[in-house]
Amino acid sequence: MNGLIGMGEPTRSILVLGLAAVIDWLVGDPWSWVHPVQVIGAWIDRYRRWVWSLAAPDRVQRWLGVGLALSTIGGAGALAGAIGSLAFKLNPILGLGIEAVMVAACFAGRSLRDAAEDVLEPLAREDLPEARSRLSRYVGRETEHLDRPEILRAVLETVAENAVDGVLGPLFWALVGAGATVIFGWGPGAIAAVALGYKAASTLDSMVGYKDSRHRDLGWFSARLEDHLTWLPCRLTVGSIALISRKPLQVWGRCRRDGALDPSPNSGWSECAYAIALGVQLGGENRYRGQVKYKPLLGDPQRPIEPETVRSALGLTRVVFLGWLCGAIGLLALGFLP
């Protein structure tokens, strides 16, 4: 206990990051547990309904949208920081555990893997209706009439896009929090505060970052902010995949050319990187609420998408995650540990 009380910030940061990764790998996000994203989502929904009830002019809604983003991100970060700091003061081991759990809640590695396997399992039994039903839990597109190749494409696109939004983006910002803790002396709870702040931005984008008439003004700031916060971790992900796949020039070049055609400044890049690395093609026609939308074709159809392709994509994400984590821990250990 005395060793924990007197630990330096590098040591504490290493323990928080390592424990968070282990918790996400072993436990993930059990459905029966209250998740921070549920709390954040409840706040966003209440704020959204309040704004709609005002029937305010567009300009007012735009400013209220700025308030929504800043209050959500700032509130999530401040609350996480306060909980982590208070818990550490009460008991260092308790503080480490609680902050690690909060950081782990930002990582969606286990959840993404479980979601993919949830759809792949009925596909292995050739039960397409059940696979379509399960897929509808995870994607926004219509799934009722998808055939096997289209189901697999949807799963792989979800894995490729959420690798950044749900796994590597939160890890990047957790590492930023760890770096700030060591360099600027931020105290316990800072890693969770930064990671949950990013998670709040991602949740905002998924709930109000749409261009329909009801969300366009309210969600504009949230959508742009999330794009900016995800820009760097997305490019670092693409660069990492380019190196791991041993196709650095091809992956980066195709992402610059084809990924940039996607309306999102980030999802097209991440999906293109996975497509090139795995030798498959993503994108094409999707249906949303009866409307057909076309996404740019990413990659080349060198081979069909199979369940093992999806698992290979999950494996790529895991390698990048562990590479970043081990690299950061190594820098902390070599450069800052007493």
Side-chain angles (χ1 to χ4, degrees):
M1 177 71 75
N2 291 333
L4 285 174
I5 294 174
M7 77 174 72
E9 297 300 343
T11 305
R12 189 176 58 78
S13 296
I14 289 172
L15 290 174
V16 168
L17 292 170
L19 283 171
V22 171
I23 291 170
D24 179 61
W25 173 259
L26 295 178
V27 181
D29 300 318
W31 289 94
S32 59
W33 292 12
V34 177
H35 195 282
V37 170
Q38 293 176 310
V39 178
I40 294 169
W43 158 252
I44 295 171
D45 187 58
R46 174 167 291 191
Y47 191 107
R48 174 172 58 182
R49 292 178 183 277
W50 170 69
V51 171
W52 288 343
S53 71
L54 297 177
D58 293 349
R59 176 177 291 184
V60 174
Q61 287 202 34
R62 288 174 69 84
W63 281 108
L64 290 172
V66 175
L68 169 62
L70 296 181
S71 64
T72 304
I73 295 170
L79 184 59
I83 292 173
S85 178
L86 178 60
F88 194 84
K89 289 179 181 178
L90 292 174
N91 184 288
I93 295 178
L94 176 66
L96 279 174
I98 288 179
E99 184 166 14
V101 168
M102 289 192 291
V103 174
C106 299
F107 302 155
R110 175 64 181 263
S111 298
L112 188 58
R113 185 170 76 249
D114 289 347
E117 292 294 346
D118 188 46
V119 180
L120 295 180
E121 189 272 329
L123 270 185
R125 297 185 276 104
E126 300 296 331
D127 189 348
L128 292 185
E130 179 64 18
R132 295 184 189 114
S133 176
R134 294 188 185 186
L135 178 63
S136 66
R137 304 172 188 169
Y138 310 111
V139 301
R141 72 190 71 178
E142 295 179 5
T143 63
E144 292 85 352
H145 305 293
L146 296 184
D147 57 14
R148 186 177 186 274
E150 285 298 296
I151 292 173
L152 286 167
R153 176 170 73 88
V155 175
L156 183 55
E157 288 176 351
T158 300
V159 167
E161 180 178 356
N162 286 282
V164 175
D165 294 345
V167 183
L168 298 170
L171 173 62
F172 171 84
W173 286 105
L175 297 180
V176 169
T181 296
V182 172
I183 296 171
F184 301 114
W186 292 4
I191 299 175
V194 177
L196 269 171
Y198 174 77
K199 199 70 174 179
S202 180
T203 306
L204 280 162
D205 183 56
S206 66
M207 291 186 66
V208 300
Y210 301 108
K211 296 182 179 180
D212 60 80
S213 59
R214 302 196 78 185
H215 294 95
R216 182 181 60 249
D217 296 306
L218 178 62
W220 73 275
F221 185 79
S222 295
R224 291 188 183 182
L225 181 60
E226 196 275 341
D227 285 342
H228 287 300
L229 293 176
T230 304
W231 191 92
L232 182 55
C234 178
R235 271 61 185 178
L236 291 174
T237 298
V238 170
S240 299
I241 291 174
L243 293 175
I244 293 169
S245 65
R246 299 180 182 178
K247 305 174 185 177
L249 296 180
Q250 183 182 2
V251 171
W252 192 261
R254 290 292 294 274
C255 285
R256 289 189 62 188
R257 190 190 75 183
D258 299 339
L261 299 175
D262 193 279
S264 167
N266 298 309
S267 63
W269 276 68
S270 60
E271 290 181 26
C272 188
Y274 279 87
I276 297 299
L278 298 170
V280 299
Q281 188 172 75
L282 300 177
E285 179 183 305
N286 298 323
R287 287 184 175 272
Y288 300 89
R289 299 176 182 177
Q291 295 185 345
V292 177
K293 294 186 179 181
Y294 294 91
K295 295 192 68 174
L297 296 177
L298 307 171
D300 302 308
Q302 299 174 7
R303 57 179 64 92
I305 300 173
E306 297 291 347
E308 284 309 311
T309 313
V310 176
R311 295 186 178 102
S312 294
L314 291 167
L316 271 176
T317 304
R318 186 162 56 251
V319 170
V320 175
F321 182 95
L322 291 175
W324 290 9
L325 180 64
C326 292
I329 289 176
L331 287 175
L332 289 169
L334 293 175
F336 297 107
L337 276 180

